[in-house]
């Protein structure tokens, strides 16, 4: 399993961008991935060292189109804290 299968995309929100200044990055990850798999995938993909990791399961929101109700997919979010002084330059430019 490569890190492309584990890391789906970075989280794009104001709260996520505010965390980047403190060295905290957020990613949408595979729902079946464990913390150790996520940690090793991010370390290999971005060549950084991780101090802490938190994961959370985010329930899909209910959406309505006319009279039809539907639910978006459930997702898993990983919040990663990098070692002091490290950054992920690829994500810094998106702000």
């Amino acid at each position: 399993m490569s890190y492309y299968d584990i890391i789906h995309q970075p989280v794009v929100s104001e709260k996520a961008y505010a965390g980047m200044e403190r060295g905290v990055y957020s990613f949408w990850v595979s729902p079946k991935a464990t913390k150790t798999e996520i940690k090793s995938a991010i370390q290999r993909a971005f060549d950084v060292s991780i101090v802490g990791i938190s994961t959370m399961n985010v329930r899909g929101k209910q959406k309505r189109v006319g009279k039809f109700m539907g639910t978006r997919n459930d997702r898993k979010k990983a919040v990663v804290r990098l070692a002091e002084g490290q950054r992920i330059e690829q994500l810094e430019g998106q702000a």
Side-chain angles (χ1 to χ4, degrees):
M1 182 181 251
S2 74
Y3 56 83
Y4 293 112
D5 298 329
I6 295 172
I7 305 169
H8 291 191
Q9 66 187 35
V11 176
V12 180
S13 68
E14 288 185 27
K15 189 174 182 179
Y17 284 124
M20 287 182 189
E21 298 172 2
R22 300 186 323 268
V24 177
Y25 294 85
S26 302
F27 297 94
W28 294 116
V29 295
S30 172
K32 295 181 179 181
T34 63
K35 285 185 179 184
T36 54
E37 291 173 341
I38 295 166
K39 181 178 178 178
S40 65
I42 292 173
Q43 286 177 338
R44 283 187 292 149
F46 299 109
D47 194 31
V48 293
S49 62
I50 294 175
V51 176
I53 183 168
S54 301
T55 59
M56 58 204 77
N57 291 311
V58 180
R59 295 193 53 164
K61 294 183 177 179
Q62 280 199 337
K63 293 294 177 177
R64 179 181 176 140
V65 178
K67 65 177 183 175
F68 302 104
M69 289 292 288
T71 306
R72 289 189 177 169
N73 293 336
D74 297 339
R75 301 190 285 181
K76 188 172 193 175
K77 181 164 70 169
V79 179
V80 176
R81 191 165 33 96
L82 300 183
E84 189 69 31
Q86 291 199 339
R87 309 185 79 80
I88 300 177
E89 278 80 23
Q90 294 92 331
L91 301 180
E92 297 287 332
Q94 293 181 1

